[in-house]
Amino acid sequence: MSTPRARSVLNAAIAACCAVPAAAQEALAPTPRVVIYPGDVIRDDMLADVAEAARDGAGPFVEQRSLIVGKVARLTLLPGHAIPFYGVSNRKLVANGSEVKLIYSEGGLVIMTTGAALQDGSIGDIVRVRNSDSGVTVSGAVQPDGSVRVSGG
């Protein structure tokens, strides 16, 4: 049988093994330092890492600043408040109505022309574009340089 002293030593050992330092429990989350308005591109200097950010509304909330730097605010983001994922989006490289470069390439053949975007788009989005020369509407993927790559038949 165990003695009361042995039980208390065992309990203390278990408690010491399971204890987590208070600092490790506090996860830092990026929050705005200043008011960030819809359409603003989020820069690193606009953010501060805080332990206790107000969590208004439903989550999930951004937990790493690298996930939102360079993205665009979709709603007003306030200092001291956690940033919900739905509050940011990718930058639109193609704007509805803007002129874009259309690129078709297959094998060694490359054809470039211009067209009018019929919708907004971010990198990788499939957007519709009206070819300026033929008037035909085509679909293609938005490229990092803002051009639209059209695939062959």
Side-chain angles (χ1 to χ4, degrees), residues 9-66:
V9 169
L10 179 61
N11 287 339
I14 290 171
C17 290
C18 297
V20 177
Q25 291 177 341
E26 293 181 24
L28 298 178
T31 61
R33 286 183 197 266
V34 296
V35 176
I36 301 173
Y37 294 99
D40 287 352
V41 176
I42 300 170
R43 297 184 320 268
D44 193 55
D45 65 339
M46 297 171 134
L47 303 172
D49 292 323
V50 297
E52 292 296 322
R55 294 183 179 256
D56 304 330
F61 295 93
V62 176
E63 294 181 9
Q64 296 176 7
R65 65 174 54 210
S66 63

Side-chain angles (χ1 to χ4, degrees), residues 87-98:
V88 297
S89 65
N90 290 324
R91 293 172 64 181
K92 301 294 183 195
L93 292 178
V94 172
N96 186 8
S98 67

